[in-house]
Amino acid sequence: MTAQTQRVGVGRTIPGPRSWPLVGHGLSVLRHGIFPVLERSWRRHGDMFRLDLGPKRIVVIIHPDEVERVLISDRDSYYKGASYDFFRVLVGDGMVTNEGETWRARRRVAQPSFNKGVVAALAGKMTAATETMLGAWAAKLEVGAEFDIYEELLALTMWIIGDTLFGLDLRGSIDRSAEAFTVALEQLSVRGNEMVRLPLHWPTPGNRKLRRALATLDETVHAIIRGRRESGERPPDLLSALLAGHDEHGQPLDDRALRDEVITFFLAGHETTALALSWTWFMLATHPEIQAQLFAEVDAVLCGRTPTADDLARMPYTRMVLHEALRLYAPTWSGARDVLRRTELGGHAVEPGEVVMYLPYFTHRHPEFWDAPEQVRPERFTPEAMQTRHKGAYLPFSAGPRMCIGNHFSLMEGALILAMIAQRYRFSLSPRARVEPQFQITMRPKYGVLLRVDARR
Ligand code: HEM
């Protein structure tokens, strides 16, 4: 990809494609989808450009300097406002969408459950769930069989979140909840791209689907909370921490807050990791030489054993492969902040009411920071290379205080699952595979990731 990398001078208007009265660039987005419009604009206008979606002005930033300014050094000028409203329909005021003191109090409650040592203790649950999945694969997958690894990994990561954070055995109910999450996310993505959003109570087919999915999820989540309360048990997990937690006024979290957090963690904690791993296997299936190097490390370190959290420190290549997939296929490919107060960004004034959008997908391909950005090279993630690179150039988990709380959790989970699958299977892309990213709230493989299986042992 060749992009102009020129910086924009102070005082000039922010460049952007030609805009139409009233609709701005909305018609192009409706006709082509948001992604092609963003890609073309980056090529033509460089690292900072504007798009008008109806009356809403979006300022798009790609350069790591500006991204760091918004997420870290000038973060108090921004907040998660109306641009997150469509997501609030699903997760309410959970940790991803909350702001200010309420957010700070919730993060304080949840943070101890995600510290490195606590997360390391969850490795056994993660590998046990993966072992069960692999057992089922062994029974159903013959050599040469083809299957969609994304579906399998979605079920696995949902099971792991249920087990590790909420003490649930989800076997049997995963299908229903996973289906409800998928439907809700799809409908929300459609709503997110609409210039005029009809109220949720209007009986359009999309709204009806969304309302049904939300009812299923609410029912599941309330049952989880009720079940734990009634059991009187308080195992050391996130659900116990939430039930014992307090809000910014020192009051216990109410039922609404608990519902919003449980649904937030279920969603944020499973789909992203399943996507990261599915894209990793797509990358490996199309790069047999990297797959072979991964097998060599996994075999040498584990000698056929189930991995533990401690093993991972001796498996740097496994970690580098995951990072390279997170660079090229960042599940959270875009992010946004509403402007809270007038401030300066890239030499321009941005105003309250405007939205700043940052795009890890493009920042991760910025030619100033990544040599031959489209090439797959796990070596970009040696500790030395990571030390010297601009911190804002690699953002799969975002940056600053709102950085993903689950980053250690998902990197450990991802490495364990990747290693365990690599111990047993070699994959190539099915000749029937049609792997295309779909740029919704997350970057999903539109038609799944259809792989051809070969057993390694
Ligand atoms: C590869 C896997 C993952 C990726 C790529 C990812 C990515 C992200 C990103 C980019 C954000 C910032 C979102 C924003 O500012 O709008 C975020 C926030 C968050 N993530 Fe993750 N995430 C992953 C796994 C997880 C896991 C496993 C959990 C929980 C178990 C989790 C829970 C959260 C929560 C609660 C937040 C909100 C944090 C806050 O605002 O304080 N994520 N994640």
Side-chain angles (χ1 to χ4, degrees), residues 114 119 122-133 152-171 174 237-238 265-266 269-271 273-274 277 409-410 412-418 420-421:
F114 290 92
V119 165
L122 301 174
K125 287 190 172 197
M126 294 174 179
T127 53
T130 310
E131 195 58 56
T132 306
M133 177 190 76
E152 300 282 331
L153 292 169
L154 259 185
L156 175 63
T157 53
M158 186 178 268
W159 176 1
I160 290 176
I161 282 295
D163 190 19
T164 54
L165 303 188
F166 304 112
L168 290 174
D169 181 352
L170 280 174
R171 273 170 287 184
I174 277 188
D237 61 13
L238 178 70
F265 275 91
F266 246 114
H270 89 279
E271 204 222 5
T273 310
L277 280 165
F409 182 110
S410 64
M412 183 181 85
E413 178 188 12
L416 292 169
I417 297 173
L418 182 59
M420 288 177 76
I421 297 177

Side-chain angles (χ1 to χ4, degrees), residues 71 80 84 87 94-98 103 107 110 114 161 164-165 238 261 264-277 326 330-337 358 360 395-399 401-407 409-411 413:
L71 296 178
K80 293 187 175 190
Y84 279 77
F87 197 40
M95 201 179 300
V96 172
T97 44
N98 220 319
W103 164 77
R107 182 111 188 184
F114 290 92
I161 282 295
T164 54
L165 303 188
L238 178 70
E261 291 307 348
T264 292
F265 275 91
F266 246 114
L267 183 65
H270 89 279
E271 204 222 5
T272 42
T273 310
L275 284 169
L277 280 165
L326 282 167
T332 23
W333 66 283
S334 70
R337 292 290 185 272
Y358 59 97
L395 305 146
F397 297 104
S398 186
R402 303 300 301 253
M403 187 175 180
C404 177
I405 199 173
N407 64 340
F409 182 110
S410 64
L411 285 173
E413 178 188 12

Side-chain angles (χ1 to χ4, degrees), residues 5-22:
T5 57
Q6 114 229 11
R7 315 306 306 284
V8 186
V10 179
R12 292 202 317 231
T13 22
I14 303 174
R18 203 171 128 216
S19 175
W20 297 93
L22 296 177

